[in-house]
Amino acid sequence: MMKNNELRIGNIISKRGTVINVKPETILKISRYPLPYKPIQITVEWLLLLGFEKTYHSNVRTRFDLIDNAKIGYDFNNYGEIDGMIGFRYVGNYFGHIQYVHQIQNLYFALTGEELEVKP
């Protein structure tokens, strides 16, 4: 269940299956009626929409990196499941609990001070 305190204005979430951008009134609505709102699972498709690039592929895993100030990368196993997420700039940090689009947006903002949005 979504919690309003984990969201920022501009985050991308789902409401009844439709992708929406969080607005101030969305946060208020989630505090009262959270059921229609769901986080969006990070997938290869979402990483590509957010500007990540495929940088490595083997018979075991595929890596997608966001090549910029944050140096963030995701590994997917060959079943399409997230194996892990690493902040390259801060070598050794493993953010395995980040599995939703709004979470990666929040981390990116915390690391860079900039918004991570869908690329045109």
Side-chain angles (χ1 to χ4, degrees):
M1 183 181 313
M2 295 282 318
K3 295 181 182 177
N4 65 340
N5 66 354
E6 65 187 74
L7 296 172
R8 293 180 52 254
I9 295 168
N11 280 157
I12 300 169
I13 61 172
S14 171
K15 179 182 179 186
R16 293 188 183 101
T18 300
V19 175
I20 64 167
N21 285 313
V22 172
K23 298 177 180 163
E25 58 268 19
T26 310
I27 294 172
L28 181 60
K29 288 177 185 176
I30 290 173
S31 69
R32 294 180 181 163
Y33 310 104
L35 290 179
Y37 300 92
K38 305 280 186 225
I40 297 173
Q41 183 75 38
I42 292 174
T43 62
V44 169
E45 293 79 15
W46 272 105
L47 289 179
L48 293 173
L49 286 171
L50 293 169
F52 283 74
E53 299 174 15
K54 185 177 181 178
T55 57
Y56 176 80
H57 179 74
S58 73
N59 61 350
V60 179
R61 68 183 178 97
T62 302
R63 170 165 225 106
F64 292 85
D65 293 316
L66 189 60
I67 312 294
D68 66 2
N69 294 333
K71 306 279 193 284
I72 297 171
Y74 266 92
D75 279 349
F76 283 81
N77 64 26
N78 285 344
Y79 302 105
E81 301 164 335
I82 296 174
D83 268 351
M85 182 232 172
I86 300 171
F88 288 80
R89 183 176 210 180
Y90 310 96
V91 176
N93 288 346
Y94 173 75
F95 305 102
H97 64 283
I98 295 185
Q99 57 184 326
Y100 300 115
V101 172
H102 74 278
Q103 292 174 324
I104 188 75
Q105 288 180 297
N106 293 345
L107 176 65
Y108 184 84
F109 183 80
L111 293 174
T112 68
E114 298 176 11
E115 299 295 339
L116 181 60
E117 299 170 335
V118 172
K119 306 295 183 223

